[in-house]
Amino acid sequence: MISIVITNQKGGVSKTTTTAELGWILAKQGSNVLMVDLDSQSSLTQLFGVSAENNSIADVFGGSIEGNLDLSDVIQPINGGLSIAPSNVLLYTTEMGLAGRAGREYILKQAFGKLSGYDVAIIDCPPGMGLLTINALVASQGVIIPSLPSVMDLRGVDLTLETIGGIDAAGLNSSLDIIGILLVQFISHTLEHNRILEAVITSGKRILGVIPRSVKVQEAVSKNKTISEYDPKGKPSEAYYYLAKIVTTWLKDNKSRR
Ligand code: ADP
Ligand code: MG
């Protein structure tokens, strides 16, 4: 299984939306996809209408002591090749409990090691660079950083990149590839957004496309659907299909390098 993290220190930058779209499209195209919800706010879990009152990813992590369930015990099928390891609010205390535990950065990686039957995992991170995000970065081969098109947000991307660099420097994961930056909630007739796009391109950072802002994305959420399912011909879906294409190529390259 190859794992991809969707992360950014900031909230509200389409991390959850991007996880859901990518998961949904890759599964529709024939992969066995596991989405992992690492946010105690459980937006991803709720988007797919999954209930995690009993077993959740928090039971896999445990806290100050080891978790009492395997990842395979908490995974719930959604449809076709799409499944989710759901989260609930207990994950918040989990993260605090992890601080003093030996091997705290490797819990998700070990849980992945015991799992079989999935082609790809996509991990939705909470905002911030706490131990849950570190676990995701340690357990993965690729990172996608969604960002709003603003100067402040691009500074946030640089900070996120620094943290990711620190993972390698600390010897936690030397085979983590930055797949690229995704500009989200983009308004194409806004001069500032276009200036930001130019700036990202000239900075040499790999850009994975631009997801347009659309009220349909929120509409889809209220119907418990991804935008790719709710409005497959719309501009946001088109942009997410383009992202999925890049990711599929990256997955193939990654596999052949192993
Ligand atoms: P994060 O997980 O980074 O906090 P979300 O994916 O939850 O961000 O997105 C934050 C909010 O913005 C949600 O209400 C979501 O539905 C909305 N949103 C995400 N992408 C778009 C988009 N392309 N157009 C309009 N609204 C969007
Ligand atoms: Mg989120």
Side-chain angles (χ1 to χ4, degrees), residues 11-17 37 39 41 43-44 124-127:
V13 299
S14 302
K15 291 185 294 296
T16 299
T17 306
D37 190 352
D39 190 346
Q41 291 184 41
S43 319
L44 184 71
D124 184 21
C125 288

Side-chain angles (χ1 to χ4, degrees), residues 6-8 10-21 39 41 43-44 47 124-127 146 148 183-186 211-222 227 236 240:
I6 315 294
T7 188
N8 185 319
K10 285 196 63 177
V13 299
S14 302
K15 291 185 294 296
T16 299
T17 306
T18 300
T19 306
E21 298 307 324
D39 190 346
Q41 291 184 41
S43 319
L44 184 71
L47 171 62
D124 184 21
C125 288
L148 299 178
L183 286 182
V184 296
Q185 304 180 26
F186 195 88
I211 310 290
R213 183 168 182 81
S214 160
V215 286
K216 291 225 165 150
V217 175
Q218 272 124 324
E219 251 173 66
V221 173
S222 69
I227 188 69
Y240 274 118

Side-chain angles (χ1 to χ4, degrees), residues 95-112:
E95 182 158 32
M96 294 194 292
L98 288 180
R101 206 162 115 199
R104 56 190 168 264
E105 298 94 349
Y106 296 97
I107 301 166
L108 188 61
K109 186 180 169 124
Q110 279 169 359
F112 278 173

